[in-house]
Amino acid sequence: YGLSTILGFSDEKNANKIRKIMRALAVMAATLTNVTSKAAASAITTSSSTTTSVAAKIMASPKPVGVKELSISFLLVGLVAAILRHPTLSGKKGTTGLSSKLSNRLLVAAGRCTLQLSFLGGFVIQQLFVKTQDNPLLVISWIAFIALVGAHESYSRMSSSSSSSLEGLSSVYPTLHHHVRVAFLVGVTSVLTIAIKFILKLTSPWYDARYLIPMSGMILGNMISSNSLLLQSLIKEFIHHKDIIEYYYLAYGASYMEASRSAIFSSIELSLVPIINNLSVVGIVHLPGMMTGQILAGQSPRAASMYQILILFWIAASVGFSVLTMTGLFVRKGIFDLHNHALKSSSTKVSGYLAQEEKINDKKVTKEKSRFFSLLH
């Protein structure tokens, strides 16, 4: 509620409703805590020799994974890359075109994944676990570093898909990449602070790398795609509806929130679709990565599922905080001139790129038509 108030998403009329919702959620959380603790106690007291033997099998050490297993798994990715190179996917005999580029990108990504995780798990995190016993600055620095890297990746994805629009927007909103970093830091630090202080209650030490590093990594990994979708949608909405916002809403006295409510709602809705879908199908369609890893490492499925629920809730909250922060900064600090009650004067440059995008789309349609008729021939 405080964050939404600061960013201008709520007013005094909604304050009482929000407080009632927060009180209801607090009561539900307390009730669920009592129920789960009683259920866990009854499950422990009613355990038998049969369940003990089953638990012993579950808690067995996982099978080791070496170079042989990794090589065979990499061949599966290589098989997909080879299929993508087949000439039938390009549309012209003797050429591979886009299929070749996509195949190379897949192989490079798989190679990067192997090198990065081997270096991360075998050297970086191992050293952090050893050297952070009495040095919280290392853990905090690592979390800040991966947050900035994630923000850069999110901004890069948005830039590559909306390059022509971003060129015009940069003259209006030169601090966009800084605000993306702020949104990432707000999302990860707010959730980690609450998790450390009130949920996990880490005290000795509170900066335990065994908890903070994996949690921050999973949280930030999900924030990248959501913020990229948010920025792409916001830019498109404000470019395509610029005249409506400026000459219909603002000219007739609407506030900046009223003028941009439709664009904000559709953009936030789009950015939250991945995490909502993930929460909806988890445990039915697929087992999440953390839960699977804990089970393979010998943890009981019940404990693994509880930790996975915690992580998913933290991911959803951090994505929501970062999306709301980025939206507020984009609207209040980036695109609107609040003093003059108008879009920023340089934003007219952005509309010039809309015609350029339409020309590019027309060329793509013409190219696809010629390709279709050549296939028919």
Side-chain angles (χ1 to χ4, degrees):
Y1 168 67
L3 180 65
S4 62
T5 303
I6 292 171
L7 297 177
F9 292 126
S10 63
D11 50 25
E12 290 300 326
K13 294 181 181 179
N14 298 323
N16 292 328
K17 293 182 180 179
I18 296 175
R19 292 192 188 99
K20 290 180 181 178
I21 292 172
M22 295 302 294
R23 290 194 192 100
L25 289 175
V27 172
M28 290 172 60
T31 306
L32 287 174
T33 302
N34 294 331
V35 171
T36 52
S37 61
K38 291 178 181 178
S42 63
I44 293 173
T45 55
T46 57
S47 61
S48 60
S49 58
T50 304
T51 57
T52 304
S53 61
V54 173
K57 293 180 181 179
I58 293 175
M59 297 296 287
S61 58
K63 294 182 179 180
V65 176
V67 178
K68 179 181 178 182
E69 291 78 10
L70 290 177
S71 301
I72 295 174
S73 301
F74 186 81
L75 286 177
L76 296 175
V77 181
L79 178 61
V80 176
I83 295 173
L84 290 175
R85 286 178 174 270
H86 198 274
T88 55
L89 295 178
S90 65
K92 294 182 180 180
K93 293 183 178 181
T95 61
T96 52
L98 181 60
S99 302
S100 176
K101 295 179 181 178
L102 190 59
S103 172
N104 293 336
R105 286 175 58 189
L106 179 62
L107 292 176
V108 170
R112 283 185 58 182
C113 169
T114 304
L115 294 176
Q116 289 167 184
L117 286 180
S118 301
F119 177 73
L120 182 68
F123 179 74
V124 176
I125 295 182
Q126 189 71 27
Q127 293 297 318
L128 284 174
F129 282 7
V130 173
K131 295 182 178 181
T132 55
Q133 299 299 323
D134 301 313
N135 191 356
L137 185 61
L138 283 176
V139 179
I140 296 174
S141 300
W142 174 257
I143 294 174
F145 170 73
I146 61 176
L148 295 177
V149 172
H152 176 74
E153 180 67 21
S154 179
Y155 182 80
S156 299
R157 289 186 185 182
M158 182 268 300
S159 302
S160 60
S161 61
S162 305
S163 57
S164 60
S165 303
L166 195 65
E167 289 176 4
L169 188 66
S170 60
S171 61
V172 184
Y173 196 176
T175 58
L176 175 59
H177 56 291
H178 296 305
H179 287 167
V180 175
R181 295 169 187 167
V182 171
F184 268 72
L185 291 174
V186 168
V188 69
T189 54
S190 59
V191 172
L192 285 181
T193 301
I194 296 173
I196 293 170
K197 183 67 176 177
F198 301 105
I199 301 175
L200 298 178
K201 297 180 180 179
L202 300 179
T203 55
S204 54
W206 61 266
Y207 52 88
D208 192 346
R210 186 165 62 94
Y211 288 94
L212 294 187
I213 291 178
M215 290 190 318
S216 59
M218 285 184 286
I219 288 172
L220 288 166
N222 287 269
M223 287 167 58
I224 293 175
S225 58
S226 295
N227 280 272
S228 297
L229 291 173
L230 174 75
L231 289 173
Q232 291 174 20
S233 180
L234 282 174
I235 291 172
K236 290 180 180 178
E237 288 288 335
F238 276 97
I239 287 177
H240 288 276
H241 302 126
K242 174 184 173 295
D243 292 337
I244 296 176
I245 292 173
E246 197 164 35
Y247 301 119
Y248 182 78
Y249 285 102
L250 295 179
Y252 283 90
S255 66
Y256 75 95
M257 277 301 299
E258 292 172 338
S260 57
R261 182 174 286 122
S262 176
I264 289 175
F265 180 79
S266 60
S267 300
I268 292 179
E269 184 181 26
L270 178 64
S271 65
L272 294 181
V273 164
I275 187 63
I276 292 174
N277 290 341
N278 195 14
L279 291 172
S280 301
V281 302
V282 66
I284 299 176
V285 178
H286 77 287
L287 289 178
M290 177 185 172
M291 183 176 175
T292 305
Q294 283 190 316
I295 293 175
L296 291 176
Q299 184 66 272
S300 66
R302 178 177 296 173
S305 64
M306 290 300 174
Y307 266 101
Q308 184 61 60
I309 293 171
L310 278 180
I311 290 295
L312 286 174
F313 286 167
W314 296 344
I315 289 173
S318 62
V319 167
F321 289 154
S322 64
V323 163
L324 290 175
T325 304
M326 187 63 245
T327 304
L329 292 173
F330 186 93
V331 174
R332 298 191 66 175
K333 303 293 184 182
I335 202 71
F336 275 101
D337 186 355
L338 300 182
H339 295 290
N340 297 320
H341 194 66
L343 293 173
K344 288 189 176 179
S345 57
S346 300
S347 60
T348 53
K349 298 179 182 179
V350 181
S351 60
Y353 288 92
L354 183 57
Q356 182 180 350
E357 282 190 342
E358 292 176 350
K359 290 180 181 179
I360 294 173
N361 291 332
D362 291 340
K363 289 181 180 179
K364 289 181 180 179
V365 171
T366 304
K367 185 177 180 181
E368 288 297 322
K369 285 182 178 179
S370 61
R371 180 173 176 271
F372 173 72
F373 286 116
S374 65
L375 287 174
L376 280 179
H377 179 71

